[in-house]
Amino acid sequence: MASLGSGTGDVGTGVADILQALKVIQENQTKLAADVESVSNRLDTLAPPTQSPVLNGKLSPESTLPAASPLPQAALVSSAKESPSASAQAEEAGFTSRIILTTYPKQIGINPIPLNWGASGPERGPVVVSRSSSTIRKRNAIGAHGGSYSIYFALALASKQLNANHRPDFTNTEPAANIGPFPQWSDKKKIVAMDPWGHLAPWLYGDIMQKENVDIRPTIAITKAHMKLPELEESVRSGRLVPDGKVCLNKTGELAVTKFAVEPVWYLPGVAERFGIDEGVLRRSLFEHTGGSYPELITRGDIKVFLPPIGGLTVYCFGDPAKMSDENVRLSLRIHDECNGSDVFGSDICTCRPYLIFGIEEAVKEAQNGGSGVVIYFRKEGRALGEVTKRGEDRASDYFKRTENIAGVKDMRFQALMPDILHWLGIKKIDRMLSMSNMKHDAIVGQGIPIHERVELPEELIPADSRVEIDAKITAGYFTTGHRMTEDELTAVKGRMWEDIDH
């Protein structure tokens, strides 16, 4: 009788042999899948079938998988027969006869490029989200580049304005200023809503792009620019700004600025934790309430990164960008949420543009005094409810009521993710916070960044008809060193009526 020890050894050897055999089978299947995909792509190019993808809600009765296809039936379909002209258009747009609806973690041929969010240094891995034929099996992220503009990318492809096989040429597009890396970049609790290495992706991961034919794109762009706003010329004339030839360039109030444009990249476990919810609940809600647009939020629990179809943000830094992270110099900051009506078209029923101009002026002064001035502009139109939903009122006491009646909530900006950009910039403290928002203040302080002084909009810069807005916000909790109205006083604050003016 064999001893227990030798028997155990035999079993161990047998298991090892089985595992090795399974590994070989998996490798062979992966190679087969890649070969089948390559042949399919060539066939579609040389002799496209009469069937092509159209979203007409019908699947052809003969929709079956090729015998060697690595994709499960539920994940891949063929579309209904259509006219020869429609088929030709689909072919010219770069489509094949098969539509990959979703993928699964253990599916043969699926081999995502490693991405370890929070790892120190570029070895963390790139964000790979493209659905191009050479990349789709290697993706480690859900969604698409460009945020809300990804829809226009799809239109460009469908209308043949863009070649489906186009790959960006990143020559002479390197960041115009150096930033980081900072310790916050490798803290998965501090940065969950953007890719800290997004500005360097094509250069850090160029070898992967070349050797593995993977489409990797930046999610941050850093450029130098000049800023010209009509109010700034008046600021110079009145003496609020003084040209120095470096930050404020001339008497027209033209400013030199370093611009950081950022697309959202969400690390889903971190986003869920920031909101105090379960990751599964977050994924389900994102899937359901984007019309089921991203099924891999449900089927690919192994993928933890999502590029959502929302607007991003832009940082405008006045002075030396390196000073933003220097705790020995003062920093003035304006966090501004988009308001198209006021910021662009000058509506005077809110204080958005006046506060934006004031924030820019104060940021410039801080930079001229040897510190750092920063204005960050978030695309969150209408309190992130949009222009259709957000409604104003002519009485301060009812300012939020109409919006809340329509949307069920008066504000959906949810500032919990906002401080990520501050961590990325290396900001550790804020000397002057040019904002009255309690939500922004609490989110920043909650992320461990102290605010030493809060600066409200000066009374003389508040348009008369925007008293409805500002008084309502102060009563709702916005910061002020002045008077906070009672409910009775707030009821008396009214804006001008449409009928008050002869149109």
Side-chain angles (χ1 to χ4, degrees), residues 173-175 177-181 185 194-204 217-222 260-261 424:
T173 62
E174 293 85 354
N178 294 323
I179 187 80
W185 290 17
M194 59 180 290
D195 178 9
W197 299 97
H199 58 308
L200 298 173
W203 301 279
L204 290 178
R217 306 195 180 197
T219 56
I220 301 173
I222 305 175
F260 304 78
W424 184 73

Side-chain angles (χ1 to χ4, degrees), residues 29 103 106 111-112 177 219 237 262 269 290 296 310 318 331 360 398 428 451 486:
Q29 288 178 323
T103 57
K106 298 186 182 300
N111 186 27
T219 56
R237 279 200 299 267
V262 182
T290 55
E296 285 169 318
I310 60 175
F318 302 96
L331 182 138
I360 292 171
D398 295 332
K428 302 180 188 68
I451 296 173
T486 65

